[in-house]
Amino acid sequence: MIQLMDRPVHRPPLRAWQAAIATVIAATVPGAHAASHVFLVQNSGWMEPFYTDPASQYKPLITEVVLAAVQPGDALVLASFNQALPGAPSPKALLATKVESASQRAAVQGALAPLAVAKKPGGTALADTDLGEAVSGAIGAALGNKPGLVWLFTNNKNSPNNDQATSQRNREFYQLIHHGAAIKKALAFPLHMPVKGRYSANGLMIYVFAIGDEGARDLDMLMRSGRLQKVVTETPARLKPLDQDTVRLTPVKVENVPGVAFSTQANGVLRADIDAGAQAAKANPESSGNAARIGWRLENTVYPYTITSARLEARSLLAGAQTPILLGADSVTGLAPGKPLPLSSTMPLPVAHLPGKWSLAAVQAAGSAAVLPGAIEVRLSEQKLELSQAFRQRMASLFPGDPLPDIFTPPEQVQGSRATLPLEVRIRYGVAPLIGVLGGVTALLAAAVALGIAATRTRKVWVTVEGEPRVVHAKPGTVLPLHDRAGNQVAQLNTSMFGTTLTDLRQGAQVRLGK
């Protein structure tokens, strides 16, 4: 487990917690596409109004998020958390099950129904909160340091041992997120949820942490599915990583060159259809006549951060070759989330690396198209990020007096990133290469047949022996003796595909070819 800074953390045995979930987590290993989810529900003292306000939507929201996130076959662990003390373990398992095809609503609602604000053992004081302890316990004890998703429902008040220095404790929690090697991706959803009780609150934060590379893929799949967005409509704030895919490049206008047509596919792939017989494919790849002018929309995808400044460069990657792309601007400033920046570019066409018209690829693709996958890559260097003012204002309204927005400041080492746009080059060759190859094969077959006939056909050969004309029938490759009237051999007749010759002529014998 991870211990925050140098502050000692009291951790009672977690045998009950581990026993409740070990079988469930293990059961997901053989299943294809099965994910492991651990949902941590805060019930410390600062959460009192979320439990006591009759109008609170805290538990209903948790239920809907759980049901939107999990799929049949997944491992589902639901646990409450505050701060662990002797006799009061935290986190504490409420439900551990493998998701079946039937709805889990009743099970989740039943596990949450009796949950109330926790008190410290042996008294009436309400329990404190340790966010880092909860997340570390979920990673180490619940998931067993295996891939999965850890969800955290909290009011953002991190106060172990009733520590009033919530700013420092929140910073420790943030360091855990950014520097914890197990956490590959992290998102936060700040939600408006006003509640009143002994205390009052205006907002709730949902975090989701992707553990391991497989967990990151599970989170990406979930976000692409749109299931979670039907429950939580708030744009997620990205906490990690901040050095990958901070921008998105979308083509909006392409000026085609002769013989080349660009199009954007539904899956976001930029396709270039090139006619192999077009003049553009024969041009010098460095010439301006062989380059396409493309207008882009550069979007900041790293909400809630503004890219205050960054240097830009781009290149195309195809068939192992890297070709620079000339951009209309070599830097960006003040690129806020949701505000795209127009960007022009000139991209040389990769014709120098395309298969030739008479290549094997051309013959195989006759009548259709040969496809070369590639990519357009945009790199940002010397990148500076700043928490957007809109997000600061929203956080201040949801969590009044909470210093959390200040600790969203990105780590200093995050200075660059890159984004890629899939590129697909399709070369249309038509049927000419195939027809040419078929014609050549046909000619070769015809020649072979002719040679075969010539090699087996009997020929009529005229020879004159001692002044007597004779007709000899012979096949190519045979050797026949020639005799005079007395029966003596006077020569040999050698027949081949290319003609006949006389050999072994006896001295003084009169033998010649022809009449």
Side-chain angles (χ1 to χ4, degrees):
M1 297 183 186
I2 302 174
Q3 183 167 321
L4 299 179
M5 309 298 285
D6 296 323
R7 178 171 46 84
V9 178
H10 198 72
R11 304 192 188 282
L14 296 175
R15 295 177 183 175
W17 158 263
Q18 292 172 316
I21 62 176
T23 303
V24 175
I25 297 295
T28 65
V29 175
H33 307 296
S36 298
H37 296 262
V38 180
F39 297 90
L40 299 172
V41 181
Q42 184 177 350
N43 70 332
S44 58
W46 285 114
M47 297 295 293
E48 179 267 341
F50 291 92
Y51 288 91
T52 59
D53 189 333
S56 173
Q57 294 297 303
Y58 184 51
K59 292 181 180 179
L61 173 65
I62 295 170
T63 301
E64 297 305 322
V65 170
V66 171
L67 298 179
V70 300
Q71 290 282 276
D74 289 352
L76 163 60
V77 176
L78 183 63
S80 62
F81 80 93
N82 39 76
Q83 182 185 16
L85 292 173
S90 177
K92 182 178 180 181
L94 306 175
L95 174 66
T97 184
K98 182 177 180 180
V99 179
E100 304 296 340
S101 57
S103 173
Q104 298 290 312
R105 183 176 299 276
V108 175
Q109 289 177 333
L112 290 174
L115 186 63
V117 180
K119 296 180 179 180
K120 295 180 181 180
T124 59
L126 299 180
D128 299 326
T129 309
D130 194 329
L131 300 180
E133 176 187 67
V135 174
S136 298
I139 296 173
L143 293 176
N145 294 311
K146 294 180 180 180
L149 298 180
V150 175
W151 301 77
L152 190 72
F153 299 85
T154 175
N155 68 340
N156 267 339
K157 292 189 181 298
N158 192 25
S159 55
N161 302 318
N162 199 28
D163 192 336
Q164 298 303 303
T166 56
S167 176
Q168 176 61 27
R169 299 311 170 213
N170 280 338
R171 186 173 297 278
E172 293 172 1
F173 175 57
Y174 192 67
Q175 291 296 318
L176 168 64
I177 297 172
H178 271 287
H179 300 291
I183 300 176
K184 298 300 182 181
K185 287 192 174 184
L187 300 177
F189 299 84
L191 306 179
H192 180 61
M193 185 177 288
V195 287
K196 290 184 178 181
R198 177 180 173 184
Y199 305 108
S200 63
N202 200 36
L204 176 75
M205 185 76 86
I206 302 176
Y207 293 96
V208 56
F209 307 108
I211 311 304
D213 293 333
E214 186 177 335
R217 288 192 292 270
D218 290 338
L219 180 56
D220 289 341
M221 291 177 60
L222 173 60
M223 298 306 295
R224 285 196 299 267
S225 73
R227 300 194 310 269
L228 186 63
Q229 290 86 331
K230 294 179 180 179
V231 177
V232 182
T233 58
E234 176 71 25
T235 302
R238 192 200 300 190
L239 300 180
K240 186 179 183 180
L242 297 179
D243 57 355
Q244 298 175 21
D245 299 322
T246 58
V247 293
R248 180 188 298 116
L249 200 60
T250 305
V252 292
K253 181 181 179 182
V254 181
E255 296 183 19
N256 295 329
V257 296
V260 182
F262 283 88
S263 60
T264 302
Q265 306 305 299
N267 58 1
V269 175
L270 178 63
R271 175 185 292 177
D273 286 288
I274 299 178
D275 182 359
Q279 184 64 32
K282 301 174 183 177
N284 183 341
E286 299 300 326
S287 69
S288 59
N290 199 40
R293 290 183 293 275
I294 306 177
W296 305 91
R297 185 172 63 243
L298 187 68
E299 299 177 72
N300 176 353
T301 60
V302 66
Y303 176 82
Y305 298 99
T306 294
I307 302 176
T308 57
S309 64
R311 296 190 62 82
L312 282 176
E313 60 179 349
R315 60 180 180 173
S316 63
L317 308 173
L318 186 71
Q322 302 180 9
T323 306
I325 296 176
L326 180 62
L327 297 175
D330 59 3
S331 64
V332 294
T333 57
L335 186 58
K339 294 184 179 180
L341 173 72
L343 183 66
S344 63
S345 70
T346 301
M347 185 176 77
L349 300 178
V351 296
H353 305 283
L354 302 182
K357 184 176 181 180
W358 298 103
S359 65
L360 178 60
V363 174
Q364 292 175 335
S368 57
V371 179
L372 293 179
I376 293 176
E377 183 180 88
V378 177
R379 289 180 175 269
L380 280 74
S381 59
E382 302 177 24
Q383 179 179 243
K384 302 298 182 183
L385 301 180
E386 181 181 88
L387 195 63
S388 69
Q389 290 301 316
F391 184 77
R392 287 181 179 273
Q393 293 170 5
R394 176 167 175 77
M395 292 293 290
S397 66
L398 295 180
F399 308 99
D402 190 340
L404 187 63
D406 292 334
I407 65 169
F408 268 66
T409 303
E412 294 181 359
Q413 66 269 28
V414 179
Q415 294 186 355
S417 67
R418 66 178 181 178
T420 58
L421 174 69
L423 173 66
E424 183 180 90
V425 176
R426 298 167 63 90
I427 313 98
R428 300 186 180 279
Y429 292 97
V431 296
L434 182 60
I435 293 175
V437 171
L438 291 178
V441 171
T442 301
L444 289 174
L445 289 175
V449 171
L451 288 174
I453 294 174
T456 58
R457 185 179 62 183
T458 301
R459 295 180 181 180
K460 183 188 292 186
V461 181
W462 286 91
V463 296
T464 301
V465 179
E466 301 291 341
E468 177 186 358
R470 300 179 186 179
V471 177
V472 178
H473 296 275
K475 293 182 178 182
T478 59
V479 178
L480 298 177
L482 299 177
H483 299 84
D484 58 14
R485 293 178 180 177
N488 299 314
Q489 180 174 327
V490 294
Q492 285 186 338
L493 181 67
N494 291 274
T495 306
S496 70
M497 292 179 59
F498 307 102
T500 55
T501 58
L502 292 173
T503 60
D504 292 341
L505 284 169
R506 193 178 67 181
Q507 187 174 3
Q510 297 181 2
V511 182
R512 60 183 174 83
L513 293 173
K515 296 181 180 180

